[in-house]
Amino acid sequence: VQLVGSGGGLVQAGGSLRLSCVASGIRSSINIMGWYRQAPGKQRELVASITEDSVITYADSVTGRFTISRDNAKNTVYLQMNSLKPEDTAVYYCNVQTTMYGYWGKGTLVTVSS
């Protein structure tokens, strides 16, 4: 099983980035796809998640600025991040959950400069 994320980088406050994560090698249906983040010295937290039926959950801190979507045919989840703030700086991790297992990507760094 591989989760390969991309799209992180350095951006100025107010800018945008789009993260992508492709899941491969998963034999069963993927129920939930999501993004978590971990800032230095803080615990990993949920940013956004989307079920196979497109039920979406956002952290309060990103509601209205971030948009999660998925392409089930490609086993890919996206996170469009707009109006980025310095406090959004973190390593962003892709997560997918099947009925039996959960899987994590290696993380992609997002740095927002003020």
Side-chain angles (χ1 to χ4, degrees), residues 86-108:
E87 50 264 45
D88 294 318
T89 295
V91 177
Y92 284 70
Y93 296 92
C94 172
N95 174 268
V96 301
Q97 298 180 36
T98 67
T99 302
M100 295 290 291
Y101 302 104
Y103 303 94
W104 291 95
K106 291 186 178 180
T108 184

Side-chain angles (χ1 to χ4, degrees), residues 13-84:
S16 298
L17 285 173
R18 187 186 193 219
L19 304 183
S20 300
C21 177
V22 181
S24 61
I26 299 177
R27 297 181 179 274
S28 56
S29 296
I30 297 175
N31 295 337
I32 303 173
M33 305 185 83
W35 291 93
Y36 289 71
R37 67 186 181 187
Q38 188 166 17
K42 294 189 176 181
Q43 289 188 330
R44 191 173 298 188
E45 62 176 359
L46 174 68
V47 176
S49 65
I50 181 168
T51 71
E52 57 186 336
D53 298 322
S54 297
V55 175
I56 293 173
T57 300
Y58 291 108
D60 289 343
S61 59
V62 306
T63 298
R65 300 187 297 121
F66 291 10
T67 302
I68 190 170
S69 60
R70 65 188 280 175
D71 184 332
N72 291 328
K74 297 180 179 180
N75 279 355
T76 301
V77 61
Y78 306 95
L79 186 68
Q80 178 66 44
M81 305 185 293
N82 298 328
S83 302
L84 282 160

